[in-house]
Amino acid sequence: MNALELFGVTKDFGAVRAVHEVSFALEPGSLIGLLGRNGAGKSTTLKMISGLLQPTAGRVEVLGRDVAKFPLETRRDVGAMPEEMALLDMLSGPQYLRFVARMYGLDTKTADARAAELMDRLELLPPRGTVIADYSFGMKKKLALSSALIHSPRLVVLDEPFEGIDTVTSRTIKDLIALLQARGVTVVLTTHVLEIVEALCPRVAIIEKGRLVGFGPLDEVKRTHATLEGLFLELVGGHRKGELSWL
Amino acid sequence: MALRALVAAHAQSAWNRSTRQLTRGGRNLALAFIAVCWGVGTLGFSTAMLALGWAAGRDLDGRGLTLAGATLFALSWGLGLMFGLTGSGRLLEVGQLKAYPVRPLTLLFAELAARAAEPLTLGCIMGLTALHVGLAVAQPGLIPRLVVMLAVHLVVLLGAQFVLGELLAAIARRARIALVLVGALAMGFSPRVAAWLDGPRREHGFERLLRLTDSVRYLPSTRLLGAPAGGWDALGRLCEGLAGPLMLLLIGAWVMGREHTAHAAVATEREKGLWTFDSPDAGIARLHLSTLFRTPLGRYSLVAPLFAMVMVPWVMQMLFHQQRASLAVFIYAALGTVQFHFNLFGFDGPAVAELFRLPVSSATLLRGKHLAVLSLALLEGAVLAVFLRLVREESSSECIAGLCVFLTINLMMATLGRFVSAVWPRTLSRSGLRGTAPPLPVVLVNLFGTFAIAGSLGLTHWLVMHYAPAYVVPWGVGALLLGAAVFALTLKPAAAFLEARREHVLLSMK
Ligand SMILES: Nc1ncnc2c1ncn2[C@@H]1O[C@H](COP(=O)(O)OP(=O)(O)OP(=O)(O)O)[C@@H](O)[C@H]1O
Ligand SMILES: [Mg+2]
């Protein structure tokens, strides 16, 4: 059974086709980096995996179950960190983590213990009583990551987990992701920092204008191209633009 | 020019927001239907005002002056204050404009222009204009004066709602002051005080009416309209007429200036302890309640009905000499609480994604939200009942029946609202009172729903009181049970409805 499988997934927003017949499969314990330019369709793909958006065509299966048919069961198994990070920002961090954990069915004691451990590990140290709305960007990011992990999910989707994160925490998150993978958890993440993918992800997927244009182990990439950047630029066809006319 | 850019930006985002929702389904048709309804309503109202203006203009030396003056005053100050009391807060996103070099007065005019484009206000503006046109047709000699008056009345209509809305918001933000104020007003307007003021003058309805018409003479609108053609008296009355709108503009500019330069208040809420809950619906309810209590809009919704309970009996007593007002109070207060039923996910805004990614069913989400809003309504209703019993000395049976009506209206509105919430969701501001005006379809559903529900309850209440007053409590309980049954029976279809529209709700919340 695959941990995650996409069957010709397509998503339209009105006339805009954001994702175009994307198919791939991941076995349990995979770790994949999803790459692509701004607006390529990465976040939309992740939202369809976590069940927030419905594919216009095709289907997503998580742990062998159709997401559209078993929404509750899927949500229980998935931990998601969306890119917008619109958290329940009238709560304080600990309140929020407890709320989320309790909704996943953890008892209060376990919830608080896990929340404390996560906040300690990620060095998330908000002043007592501050509501999330007043957290810094990086603090929100850490909190969102904590809430994606607190219920020990079997599939984790992280949209840009390293953006806006300090170097120390970045290393902690990398360690966490490696640990997740070692424990058989499947992880899908997106990022614009190719070095992180090269160092962390055994496998990459490249998406361009909604289509999957590259998918495979990093080793294979290394065989044909000197760097991941070289392959990426080749696949998405980026070239330099001129100067600004008024500067 | 900054003003043009501000108004254009507001109009564009408002337009884009509403057309974003238009792309799917046959909602174009619904909107066209609503536009036609609005057009017909406005046309009818404007025609009536035109006729009224013309008729009054023909008889300006006699009763026409009273009629025109009273109508002008009601349409400008009256409606302005009413919209301010019941309506939305600021429309413009002033906080976001802080970074730009714009003057407070420019902001104020942009806000007023944005208000003028609200459908209901626009309808009133057209009626008001028609009234002036009618007067001008009947009295061509008065045209210069009528032009000034039109400007005055438009500024008053728009400015009064802005200023009163801001004032109420400021009071609501300080919940303790608001409660003290309500308490003081309640004492001041208690029937004993009113009876003492009314004391020796025991008039009949007709005498009262005469006294009322007589006082219309002193309204600024009447004085402006009936001013002599020249001389010091005319100048004095002109200044008098301009004083109101000028004052509104000054206060408005001051408010905008304060807002524009203010630093964002850091929400250093005291950690109120980590709350506990047992079931997922209780968790959703707990979350919703905590949001309601922490947002200005939520607090305002708590205070507004309290004001109503003071104001409504007072108005009833002044106008109709009616001591017993409990049903009116309950119905009015219910209207104040229903707005949240119609947008259950409004306070979550984009964070609704957080709720939707949790493993809770749509039925649980709905139950939790209802639990929160209805328990607040229950609390409010109970406070009202106690107030009416102890301070206004209404009979116990009327209070209990009124409470039943209040809860029934809330249950029916909740029943209706969970469908509306899934069709026309929109983000409610959590840091101010801005941008709370619901889209026109929701206004209409609210309006017609309210009229139907409150009307039928009021009618049967009247019948019961007329023919079998002893049965008023069983009647109330019966209505409540009926409401509860409808509420419970429609939960499942509503959950299925929401389940199918989760994505729509999520995408509408940006
Ligand atoms: N709610 C929406 N309504 C309409 N179009 C949308 C919506 N969300 C995304 N799109 C469109 O879908 C396309 C893909 O967007 P998506 O957010 O998935 O890109 P992305 O790869 O995550 O980009 P980035 O690297 O900038 O985060 C874009 O063209 C975007 O405009
Ligand atoms: Mg993205």
Side-chain angles (χ1 to χ4, degrees):
Chain A
M1 183 185 62
N2 283 322
L4 171 69
E5 190 157 7
L6 273 67
F7 298 90
V9 169
T10 298
K11 180 70 189 173
D12 293 338
F13 292 107
V16 179
R17 176 148 292 187
V19 176
H20 196 115
E21 290 188 8
V22 169
S23 305
F24 63 81
L26 297 176
E27 53 284 355
S30 317
L31 165 52
I32 189 169
L34 189 55
L35 305 175
R37 305 179 61 185
N38 293 132
K42 303 181 295 294
S43 302
T44 308
T45 307
L46 292 198
K47 280 179 194 157
M48 286 190 285
I49 293 172
S50 58
L52 277 179
L53 297 178
Q54 305 288 325
T56 313
R59 68 175 200 281
V60 180
E61 281 187 7
V62 170
L63 300 165
R65 275 187 306 238
D66 188 340
V67 173
K69 294 215 183 84
F70 299 94
L72 282 186
E73 290 80 355
T74 314
R75 277 181 239 140
R76 229 168 253 137
D77 287 331
V78 175
M81 177 174 139
E83 69 173 343
E84 288 91 0
M85 291 198 307
L87 307 173
L88 304 170
D89 57 10
M90 281 289 148
L91 302 183
S92 72
Q95 276 176 332
Y96 169 71
L97 286 181
R98 180 194 269 195
F99 174 77
V100 171
R102 294 282 285 132
M103 293 315 246
Y104 278 108
L106 301 184
D107 63 65
T108 312
K109 226 171 113 190
T110 318
D112 288 351
R114 288 191 188 176
E117 205 176 326
L118 276 165
M119 290 178 80
D120 174 66
R121 212 50 56 82
L122 291 170
E123 297 182 63
L124 178 55
L125 304 164
R128 218 182 124 67
T130 323
V131 293
I132 298 171
D134 294 331
Y135 278 20
S136 77
F137 181 81
M139 286 160 80
K140 282 185 198 165
K141 204 113 214 188
K142 292 176 183 178
L143 195 63
L145 181 64
S146 306
S147 88
L149 298 182
I150 198 162
H151 57 294
S152 41
R154 301 189 41 208
L155 169 67
V156 174
V157 282
L158 306 173
D159 204 345
E160 311 199 353
F162 296 103
E163 260 64 14
I165 288 288
D166 68 64
T167 316
V168 179
T169 315
S170 181
R171 195 185 58 191
T172 314
I173 296 180
K174 279 181 215 158
D175 292 348
L176 263 179
I177 290 174
L179 180 72
L180 283 173
Q181 198 207 1
R183 294 286 146 84
V185 176
T186 312
V187 181
V188 183
L189 63 87
T190 73
T191 177
H192 293 296
V193 190
L194 299 184
E195 289 76 29
I196 291 181
V197 178
E198 279 183 310
L200 194 65
C201 302
R203 215 178 319 181
V204 291
I206 299 178
I207 188 166
E208 167 65 5
K209 299 208 177 104
R211 290 170 201 271
L212 195 64
V213 292
F215 182 87
L218 197 66
D219 304 341
E220 269 176 36
V221 175
K222 287 277 166 66
R223 235 174 283 143
T224 54
H225 290 75
T227 56
L228 184 56
E229 188 183 3
L231 172 74
F232 184 81
L233 289 177
E234 187 184 311
L235 283 176
V236 306
H239 51 273
R240 292 210 162 91
K241 293 268 161 63
E243 298 171 341
L244 288 174
S245 58
W246 71 93
L247 285 182
Chain B
M1 205 173 114
L3 178 64
R4 271 235 304 274
L6 281 174
V7 175
H10 173 78
Q12 277 159 359
S13 49
W15 173 254
N16 291 348
R17 205 177 304 134
S18 47
T19 46
R20 254 172 65 122
Q21 317 230 325
L22 266 175
T23 46
R24 246 174 276 170
R27 219 162 292 145
N28 283 334
L29 202 68
L31 264 172
F33 173 71
I34 287 154
V36 168
C37 284
W38 179 84
V40 169
T42 310
L43 201 71
F45 180 56
S46 303
T47 316
M49 286 301 114
L50 192 74
L52 188 101
W54 181 77
R58 306 266 299 185
D59 185 26
L60 262 195
D61 300 326
R63 239 174 294 161
L65 184 63
T66 313
L67 186 62
T71 316
L72 285 171
F73 185 78
L75 285 189
S76 54
W77 281 102
L79 283 183
L81 292 179
M82 201 182 92
F83 288 164
L85 190 68
T86 57
S88 58
R90 211 172 308 129
L91 297 176
L92 239 50
E93 191 111 30
V94 179
Q96 283 189 3
L97 300 171
K98 265 187 209 134
Y100 304 108
V102 267
R103 277 193 308 264
L105 206 61
T106 314
L107 279 176
L108 177 66
F109 280 118
E111 165 77 25
L112 296 188
R115 262 162 199 277
E118 292 283 295
L120 272 181
T121 314
L122 189 61
C124 294
I125 288 177
M126 289 166 79
L128 199 55
T129 314
L131 186 59
H132 285 85
V133 172
L135 284 166
V137 170
Q139 298 274 351
L142 289 184
I143 283 178
R145 175 183 310 191
L146 284 169
V147 170
V148 175
M149 285 181 62
L150 180 60
V152 163
H153 287 133
L154 289 184
V155 170
V156 166
L157 172 63
L158 297 172
Q161 41 175 304
F162 174 67
V163 170
L164 185 69
E166 289 294 311
L167 181 71
L168 284 181
I171 292 174
R173 244 174 268 141
R174 295 158 186 81
R176 239 171 272 152
I177 299 181
L179 288 180
V180 171
L181 208 66
V182 167
L185 284 172
M187 291 305 158
F189 290 140
S190 82
R192 261 178 248 159
V193 177
W196 175 72
L197 283 175
D198 250 10
R201 290 184 264 123
R202 292 193 145 272
E203 333 166 87
H204 291 295
F206 184 63
E207 287 167 347
R208 263 185 109 71
L209 196 70
L210 275 188
R211 201 154 60 87
L212 244 130
T213 26
D214 195 46
S215 55
V216 168
R217 274 196 299 141
Y218 302 107
L219 296 180
S221 304
T222 323
R223 283 175 65 80
L224 253 180
L225 189 62
W232 289 110
D233 188 22
L235 190 66
R237 290 194 191 192
L238 181 64
C239 296
E240 220 174 82
L242 291 179
L246 273 183
M247 193 183 66
L248 289 176
L249 287 182
L250 277 179
I251 299 177
W254 176 71
V255 169
M256 280 299 190
R258 253 175 70 103
E259 196 67 27
H260 191 47
T261 51
H263 299 287
V266 181
T268 45
E269 301 271 345
R270 260 175 291 123
E271 184 115 299
K272 298 209 173 73
L274 297 174
W275 21 272
T276 48
F277 50 84
D278 291 326
S279 60
D281 21 355
I284 302 281
R286 187 67 185 72
L287 176 70
H288 197 69
L289 272 180
S290 103
T291 313
L292 277 180
F293 281 122
R294 285 187 189 192
T295 48
L297 199 64
R299 287 187 199 160
Y300 178 61
S301 77
L302 288 179
V303 179
L306 296 182
F307 277 111
M309 83 182 178
V310 176
M311 295 319 218
V312 172
W314 182 66
V315 171
M316 295 284 278
Q317 180 144 8
M318 285 295 151
L319 286 185
F320 309 113
H321 224 285
Q322 181 102 20
Q323 277 284 346
R324 291 147 71 79
S326 59
L327 197 73
V329 171
F330 276 116
I331 289 182
Y332 187 89
L335 303 191
T337 54
V338 295
Q339 62 158 326
F340 295 132
H341 292 309
F342 283 89
N343 192 13
L344 289 173
F345 302 100
F347 278 129
D348 298 315
V352 78
E354 288 285 296
L355 297 184
F356 284 177
R357 79 178 168 89
L358 296 173
V360 290
S361 65
S362 293
T364 306
L365 282 176
L366 283 180
R367 270 202 304 272
K369 296 283 183 184
H370 284 320
L371 194 60
V373 182
L374 289 175
S375 51
L376 261 191
L378 184 63
L379 180 72
E380 233 165 50
V383 171
L384 278 178
V386 170
F387 163 83
L388 288 167
R389 178 74 196 92
L390 296 184
V391 181
R392 304 242 2 128
E393 294 164 8
E394 306 259 349
S395 72
S396 299
S397 59
E398 275 283 282
C399 288
I400 295 172
L403 183 59
C404 288
V405 167
F406 178 80
L407 292 177
T408 311
I409 294 180
N410 268 290
L411 280 172
M412 302 297 274
M413 285 305 189
T415 305
L416 206 57
R418 51 195 174 202
F419 291 99
V420 175
S421 300
V423 181
W424 292 291
R426 64 193 190 283
T427 303
L428 292 176
S429 165
R430 276 177 289 179
S431 57
L433 286 173
R434 183 201 55 81
T436 58
L440 193 58
V442 178
V443 175
L444 292 181
V445 170
N446 189 350
L447 219 62
F448 289 127
T450 307
F451 274 135
I453 295 166
S456 56
L457 284 173
L459 185 71
T460 51
H461 175 261
W462 182 82
L463 286 174
V464 170
M465 289 306 283
H466 203 73
Y467 293 109
Y471 288 97
V472 69
V473 172
W475 165 82
V477 174
L480 181 58
L481 287 179
L482 192 67
V486 174
F487 176 84
L489 287 177
T490 48
L491 185 65
K492 230 175 139 185
F497 191 76
L498 173 63
E499 186 68 37
R501 273 164 194 75
R502 278 178 176 234
E503 183 176 314
H504 167 67
V505 173
L506 180 70
L507 293 178
S508 307
M509 287 301 186
K510 291 268 168 84

